[in-house]
């Protein structure tokens, strides 16, 4: 029996295996007009192909909770009924193939209003179709990027409400898992890290103040999400600042992540999706096969919380070891699923498991 192909039950939801698709922005929605933020044929084909390939859970890319929460001008969103309608079409197909549809809800914060990644992710100013950016403090993410406006307490309350409203729409669209995006230097992460949060009010200062926004958003999402369905939280377990002895900056650490995870568990989060980095562009990150797995393991060992891990997981035997050892409860595949939409079915064969084939493909077995 392969551990990678054992179901995982969270609350009343059973996910058929532990090989999941990581949220990856496609930068393929319309930038304005009635179809802004709406899934397109590209999204349908992209997600459907991985579902047909046997992925147990597909986490749809970071989906903005409001128009000005988008990373790029061509990001997906869940702020209106048209978006709900088109997501419903996608999710109905995924569910029919046995894949659990999930969605990552996010706010880009000071990293918002850019071009698509392949265009250089350059800042798009308001006069070119972009919008003003916001953050915990008035500090740009990098030279050449706009200085964000420091959010007021009233604006923060509005963002919390936007997350709750987007979660309601996610449920209406047929998603079974909702993930709060608290990683990679976007709004929530920038509030968490002492390197980027220099506020002196109730949303800054020590750990409790810096974690306040994340916890308020989680409480708001959990409050509108059904008790029988799970809520995930994606975290950057480290900013990769204190991991580098030569870097004198103070950032978010794995010890902070462990403390946050305990608070998340108390508020009804069911799994922490452990990634790293993204806060500053010049952090020194030591990559390699499974380079983020040890961070997920530390969080799991210290808290008992179910965790998923991600980052240069490419081989079936590697993924199997991670899950079978109890290091993580699931693996999230990113670039490898872009290269090979049938990775999960291939992994099943390599691990001695009979893969589930769509009936329409049965004659090829």
């Amino acid at each position: 029996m392969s551990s990678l192909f054992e179901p995982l039950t969270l609350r009343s939801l059973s996910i058929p295996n532990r090989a999941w698709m990581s949220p990856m922005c496609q930068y393929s929605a319309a930038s304005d007009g009635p179809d802004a933020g709406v899934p397109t044929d590209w999204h349908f084909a992209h997600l459907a192909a991985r579902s047909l390939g046997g992925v147990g859970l597909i986490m749809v890319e970071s989906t903005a909770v409001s128009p000005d929460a988008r990373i790029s001008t061509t990001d997906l969103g869940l702020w209106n009924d048209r978006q709900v309608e088109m997501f419903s079409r996608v999710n109905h197909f995924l569910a029919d193939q046995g894949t659990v549809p999930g969605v990552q809800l996010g706010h880009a914060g000071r990293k918002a209003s850019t071009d698509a990644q392949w265009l250089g992710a350059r800042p798009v100013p308001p006069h070119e179709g972009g919008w003003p950016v916001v953050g915990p403090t008035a500090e740009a993410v990098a030279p050449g990027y706009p200085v964000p406006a420091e959010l007021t307490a009233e604006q923060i309350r509005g963002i919390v409400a936007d997350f709750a409203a987007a979660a309601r729409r996610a449920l209406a669209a047929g998603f079974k898992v909702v993930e709060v995006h608290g990683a990679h230097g976007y709004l929530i992460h920038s509030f968490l890290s002492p390197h980027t949060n220099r506020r002196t009010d109730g949303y800054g200062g020590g750990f409790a103040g810096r974690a306040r926004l994340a916890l308020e958003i989680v409480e708001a999402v959990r409050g509108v999400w059904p008790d029988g369905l799970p809520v995930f939280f994606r975290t950057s377990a480290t900013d990769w600042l204190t991991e580098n002895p030569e870097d004198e900056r103070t950032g978010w650490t794995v010890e902070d992540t462990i403390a946050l995870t305990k608070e998340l568990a108390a508020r009804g989060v069911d799994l922490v999706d452990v990634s790293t980095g993204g806060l500053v562009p010049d952090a020194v990150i030591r990559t390699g096969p499974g380079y983020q797995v040890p961070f997920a393991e530390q969080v799991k060992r210290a808290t008992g919380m179910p965790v998923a891990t991600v980052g240069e997981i490419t081989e079936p035997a590697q993924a199997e070891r991670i899950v079978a050892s109890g290091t993580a409860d699931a693996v999230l595949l990113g670039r490898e699923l872009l290269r090979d939409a049938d990775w999960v079915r291939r992994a099943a064969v390599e691990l001695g498991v009979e893969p589930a084939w769509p009936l329409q493909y049965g004659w090829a077995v």
Side-chain angles (χ1 to χ4, degrees):
M1 175 70 72
S2 163
S3 297
L4 189 64
F5 286 90
E6 289 181 0
L8 177 64
T9 299
L10 297 168
R11 297 195 180 233
S12 64
L13 180 70
S14 179
I15 304 170
N17 60 48
R18 314 294 183 97
W20 303 347
M21 178 170 155
S22 189
M24 293 176 284
C25 289
Q26 298 296 293
Y27 307 108
S28 296
S31 60
D32 54 21
D35 284 336
V38 172
T40 63
D41 287 346
W42 174 266
H43 296 100
F44 186 97
H46 166 65
L47 299 170
R50 277 77 196 166
S51 179
L52 291 172
V55 173
L57 180 148
I58 285 178
M59 189 64 71
V60 171
E61 65 196 77
S62 183
T63 298
V65 298
S66 64
D68 59 0
R70 291 174 292 171
I71 302 167
S72 82
T73 57
T74 50
D75 278 14
L76 292 176
L78 261 174
W79 64 78
N80 65 38
D81 292 341
R82 172 70 173 154
Q83 294 156 349
V84 170
E85 175 189 356
M86 297 308 290
F87 270 123
S88 297
R89 173 176 175 256
V90 175
N91 290 339
H92 181 77
F93 183 86
L94 300 185
D96 276 354
Q97 312 316 310
T99 298
V100 173
V103 64
Q104 183 186 75
L105 300 180
H107 191 300
R110 65 184 196 153
K111 295 177 76 173
S113 190
T114 68
D115 268 335
Q117 198 71 25
W118 54 77
L119 296 174
R122 70 172 184 89
V124 178
H127 69 270
E128 293 182 15
W131 52 91
V133 301
V134 297
T137 47
E139 184 178 347
V141 68
Y145 282 76
V147 175
E150 182 173 317
L151 284 165
T152 66
E154 182 179 1
Q155 289 173 316
I156 290 172
R157 287 191 292 271
I159 289 171
V160 173
D162 287 341
F163 271 88
R168 290 191 190 94
R169 291 191 177 95
L171 183 64
F175 287 106
K176 300 301 181 185
V177 176
V178 64
E179 176 173 89
V180 175
H181 194 354
H184 300 161
Y186 299 117
L187 185 69
I188 294 173
H189 184 191
S190 69
F191 266 81
L192 289 170
S193 178
H195 179 68
T196 45
N197 185 347
R198 307 180 195 280
R199 298 175 73 100
T200 57
D201 65 357
Y203 289 95
F207 173 86
R210 289 184 282 107
R212 181 177 169 184
L213 175 63
L215 298 178
E216 287 183 352
I217 287 173
V218 163
E219 288 173 347
V221 169
R222 183 76 266 178
V224 302
W225 199 246
D227 287 342
L229 295 178
V231 171
F232 292 3
F233 186 93
R234 174 164 264 197
T235 181
S236 282
T238 175
D239 299 334
W240 289 98
L241 301 181
T242 55
E243 302 292 329
N244 179 10
E246 298 178 0
D247 198 324
E248 297 181 354
R249 293 172 292 183
T250 300
W252 182 257
T253 67
V254 69
E255 290 77 19
D256 292 324
T257 301
I258 289 167
L260 177 66
T261 297
K262 293 175 181 178
E263 297 294 334
L264 294 172
R267 289 161 175 80
V269 169
D270 301 284
L271 180 142
V272 174
D273 171 3
V274 182
S275 185
T276 65
L279 187 75
V280 293
D282 61 341
V284 177
I285 302 176
R286 297 186 296 275
T287 63
Y291 71 100
Q292 295 177 138
V293 174
F295 296 102
E297 182 177 20
Q298 288 181 69
V299 174
K300 181 175 174 64
R301 300 292 186 219
T303 67
M305 171 75 91
V307 301
T309 189
V310 65
E312 294 195 34
I313 298 169
T314 59
E315 298 300 326
Q318 175 194 18
E320 175 71 15
R321 284 193 302 271
I322 291 168
V323 177
S325 65
T327 299
D329 298 275
V331 296
L332 286 153
L333 301 154
R335 291 176 177 86
E336 193 61 22
L337 276 177
L338 297 183
R339 291 186 282 262
D340 181 4
D342 291 316
W343 187 95
V344 177
R345 188 174 292 119
R346 176 169 64 81
V349 172
E350 290 190 20
L351 296 172
V353 176
E354 183 66 30
W357 288 79
L359 294 175
Q360 296 88 335
Y361 293 175
W363 61 275
V365 178

